[in-house]
Amino acid sequence: MYRTAIEKLYQWKDSKRRKPLIIEGARQVGKTWLMKEFGRRAYKDTVYINFDSNSRMAELFALDLDPNRLIMGIELYAGRKIDPENTLLIFDEVQEVPRALSSLKYFCENAPQYPIVCAGSLLGIALHGGTSFPVGKVDFLDLYPLSFREFLMATAGERFAELLDSRDYSMITAFKHIYI
């Protein structure tokens, strides 16, 4: 499946001023799928951490937010070395461990070489008082449900999406059963 948002993730990856990225969007729009698919396509390795009911990660981030220490803990958790040039770090359901969200500031300032993509319900962050949000230290990407073009590419194929883009209405009419 193709999501146009993946192009924005490639731009983020190539940015010289890249910060940790937070993907915002409603429930079930494909945030987790997009992060994993991007990791699969753009990196040699991906370390996926789901913070939902993950007491080990909650403990790791509770002690202190030194990026070097956190990377070591994540390596121990994942069972492999993290190469900042070739490994994407995915923090999913990040609102469940508010200190993981706060750590993004320190990754931005002290360890910007590590590519980190996060997703989660940001509404849940308001429930955790006393936790700071890394204002100015993260990039954002809004993810929406599939567009009609993305839906068409997933169900009918790329050629039908190209035909739609061409605005050749007589040809589109000939294949209207696909579009309707």
Side-chain angles (χ1 to χ4, degrees), residues 45-59:
D45 190 23
T46 300
V47 173
Y48 174 81
I49 299 170
N50 188 329
F51 287 98
D52 189 28
S53 301
N54 191 330
S55 59
R56 187 172 301 149
M57 285 295 105
E59 289 175 23

Side-chain angles (χ1 to χ4, degrees), residues 20-54:
L21 180 68
I22 296 176
I23 299 177
E24 297 179 292
R27 292 178 37 81
Q28 302 297 311
V29 295
K31 296 182 295 290
T32 299
W33 178 88
L34 182 66
M35 293 185 301
K36 287 180 173 181
E37 182 67 9
F38 176 64
R40 187 183 67 75
R41 289 185 186 188
Y43 290 88
K44 290 181 183 172
D45 190 23
T46 300
V47 173
Y48 174 81
I49 299 170
N50 188 329
F51 287 98
D52 189 28
S53 301
N54 191 330

Side-chain angles (χ1 to χ4, degrees), residues 3-30:
R3 296 295 312 261
T4 56
I6 206 157
E7 301 305 328
K8 293 178 182 173
L9 289 174
Y10 280 109
Q11 291 171 3
W12 169 81
K13 178 185 182 198
D14 295 336
S15 172
K16 291 181 184 350
R17 298 170 53 142
R18 180 186 68 209
K19 301 173 188 174
L21 180 68
I22 296 176
I23 299 177
E24 297 179 292
R27 292 178 37 81
Q28 302 297 311
V29 295

